[in-house]
Amino acid sequence: MRTQVGIVGAGPAGLLLSHLLALRGIESIVVETRSRAYCEARQRAGVLECGSVQVLREAGLADRLDRLGLEHGGIYLQFGGQRRRIDFRDLTGGRTVTVYAQTEVVKDLIAARLAAGGAIEFEISDTEVAAVTTARPVLRYTGADGVRHEVTCDAIAGCDGFHGICRDAIPAGLRTVWESGYPYAWLGILADVPPSTDELIYCHHPAGFALHSLRSPQLSRLYLQVPPEEDIAAWPDDRIWAEMQRRFALPGWELKEGPVLEKGITPMRSFVCSPMRHGRLFLAGDAAHIVPPTGAKGLNLALADVTVLAGALISLLRDGRGELADAYSDSCLDRVWRATHFSWWMTTMLHATPGAGSLEAQLQLSQLRYVTSSRAAATSLAENYVGYRPAATPG
Ligand code: RFL
Ligand code: PHB
């Protein structure tokens, strides 16, 4: 088999890349270990930066996003018995974020690819990438029917997430990895209850961080800081709600409870791999970098990477020009490091470190008071949250 770009992974990165390439006449195949139903149901991110919304809109993928997405002009920071708003519109010249679940983004992308006759192979196994430093890299996999395939490509995009195989195709001696864990995890729930808030609430509390997010006017998404090795079995629904009530408590405000539709625990880490390119293999999204979710950056970075990558591959494969491909890694890593710092900063400002002395809490509270009272500090948070810097759609 022969295609121009072999794409490993049908997450947001791989799917958007195949779509952006198809819009410019570049052929690709997407291979994915999981089933379509699994990819469409996996509960993950919820916040799109304005640049991500613009890329999806310009690619003709925003029909449902424009109908169902909820535009938010700010967030609340809650700490020390008060809830203060950061006004993105005011601080960033009118920019906003949009709450629209990653599951919906993935559904839209899969539907658009299949409607356009795009090739997505689900439930494949034994993915291999080879000859990536030649002009004809090779992608091998076993299809759902058990048949082994070999696809000769012009380039391969490793969009296979943090646990994928593509990153390891860059020889260890040629890549540098920076990594750090955090001494806490998030317990996330999807609840069948209208949100109790009009904007997301990021809540600092001595017992640990909590986040009130949403999915629709009827569905709430909430998170609690828990110990990293916590067993979800230790958290029956009534314990989760009791802990939410304790952390979010504010006089005159009520947290509404409802049936818990889904729950799970997510560990946290910061991770960056450089370079994001080796020969004709290009990494994008979680395959190359991971951030803790407190800054709502992971999905947005994945979409930004492939927006840049699409431009680089179009230039390379259509016009025979390699400059953008050569610049790909550095131009993405600039944004990745900004988001890595922002996510680390939000995380360490808002979470309680187990065993930390009381000095830490005082420093966090001082930072929270500063960021909610100084226009300069609030602007820095706001411009990072809405997206610094957005990637432009390839021409
Ligand atoms: P994905 O989504 O992990 O997709 C990778 C795909 O590759 C497949 N795969 C393979 N396919 C073929 N062969 C192999 N050998 C393969 N190995 C793996 C996998 O099955 C999968 O389908 O990576 P991608 O596309 O880079 O997208 C990244 C985002 O999914 C991720 O960064 C975000 O979900 C992170 N994130 C958030 N990001 C935001 O921007 N805003 C948020 O509000 C936000 N909240 C979150 C989050 C992540 C969370 N979790 C669960 C980690 C909240 C949570 C709780
Ligand atoms: C979510 O809605 O899932 C969400 C929102 C904001 C975050 C992380 C996750 O920072």
Side-chain angles (χ1 to χ4, degrees), residues 43-47 75 99-101 186 200 202 209 211-215 221-223 292-297 346 385:
Q43 278 302 323
R44 284 194 165 177
V47 176
I75 54 168
V99 174
Y100 188 63
W186 277 15
L200 272 64
Y202 287 82
F209 171 73
L211 170 63
H212 191 328
S213 182
L214 46 139
R215 284 293 176 266
R221 178 92 172 134
L222 297 104
Y223 298 94
T294 327
K297 289 288 156 235
M346 287 285 281
Y385 199 98

Side-chain angles (χ1 to χ4, degrees), residues 1 29 31 121-127 139-151:
M1 271 162 55
I29 180 173
V31 298
E121 297 278 332
F122 290 101
E123 298 180 71
I124 61 108
S125 54
D126 299 321
T127 319
L139 168 65
R140 295 192 196 94
Y141 64 95
T142 302
D145 55 3
V147 176
R148 190 83 185 144
H149 296 272
E150 177 165 311
V151 191

Side-chain angles (χ1 to χ4, degrees), residues 9 12-13 32 42 44-46 102 127 160 286 296-300:
E32 166 61 52
R42 194 165 34 193
R44 284 194 165 177
Q102 180 168 330
T127 319
D160 49 348
D286 280 13
K297 289 288 156 235
L299 169 62
N300 293 292

Side-chain angles (χ1 to χ4, degrees), residues 284-351:
D286 280 13
H289 41 73
I290 296 276
V291 289
T294 327
K297 289 288 156 235
L299 169 62
N300 293 292
L301 284 179
L303 299 178
D305 283 355
V306 295
T307 304
V308 177
L309 181 54
L313 291 174
I314 291 160
S315 180
L316 184 69
L317 304 181
R318 195 184 57 186
D319 310 327
R321 301 181 62 105
E323 296 91 337
L324 294 181
D326 292 343
Y328 169 70
S329 183
D330 285 348
S331 85
C332 287
L333 286 170
D334 185 43
R335 179 182 310 98
V336 166
W337 277 115
R338 176 86 306 280
T340 301
H341 176 268
F342 176 66
S343 304
W344 166 84
W345 176 74
M346 287 285 281
T347 301
T348 52
M349 174 170 72
L350 287 161
H351 290 70

Side-chain angles (χ1 to χ4, degrees), residues 18-236:
S18 73
H19 190 86
L20 293 175
L21 292 174
L23 290 177
R24 296 289 178 276
I26 306 259
E27 186 184 274
S28 66
I29 180 173
V30 180
V31 298
E32 166 61 52
T33 45
R34 303 286 192 165
S35 67
R36 177 179 180 181
Y38 183 92
C39 292
E40 291 186 343
R42 194 165 34 193
Q43 278 302 323
R44 284 194 165 177
V47 176
L48 293 174
E49 295 173 357
C50 52
S52 300
V53 171
Q54 194 182 334
V55 165
L56 293 169
R57 227 175 247 156
E58 286 172 4
L61 293 162
D63 198 39
R64 284 197 329 130
L65 166 61
D66 281 333
R67 271 187 292 123
L68 304 173
L70 306 166
E71 191 179 8
H72 282 203
I75 54 168
Y76 295 107
L77 293 176
Q78 181 172 332
F79 57 96
Q82 52 180 324
R83 187 175 291 169
R84 308 279 296 270
R85 185 161 183 269
I86 304 280
D87 187 333
F88 298 156
R89 278 198 188 87
D90 175 42
L91 295 163
T92 67
R95 294 166 71 196
T96 58
V97 294
T98 298
V99 174
Y100 188 63
Q102 180 168 330
T103 48
E104 304 306 314
V105 174
V106 167
K107 279 185 213 162
D108 295 347
L109 287 166
I110 291 177
R113 283 313 294 134
L114 295 180
I120 312 178
E121 297 278 332
F122 290 101
E123 298 180 71
I124 61 108
S125 54
D126 299 321
T127 319
E128 279 179 70
V129 296
V132 297
T133 52
T134 72
R136 290 284 178 274
V138 172
L139 168 65
R140 295 192 196 94
Y141 64 95
T142 302
D145 55 3
V147 176
R148 190 83 185 144
H149 296 272
E150 177 165 311
V151 191
T152 305
C153 311
D154 296 324
I156 292 181
C159 304
D160 49 348
F162 184 67
H163 300 288
I165 51 107
C166 288
R167 193 171 58 245
D168 288 340
I170 305 181
L174 295 182
R175 65 185 139 101
T176 307
V177 158
W178 295 266
E179 185 167 18
S180 181
Y182 295 84
Y184 29 77
W186 277 15
L187 186 164
I189 63 166
L190 187 67
D192 187 8
V193 60
S196 304
T197 179
D198 57 339
E199 308 271 29
L200 272 64
I201 307 168
Y202 287 82
C203 178
H204 176 278
H205 189 278
F209 171 73
L211 170 63
H212 191 328
S213 182
L214 46 139
R215 284 293 176 266
S216 73
Q218 290 79 38
L219 280 180
S220 298
R221 178 92 172 134
L222 297 104
Y223 298 94
L224 280 179
Q225 175 187 342
V226 295
E229 307 302 336
E230 193 72 327
D231 183 356
I232 192 74
W235 288 87

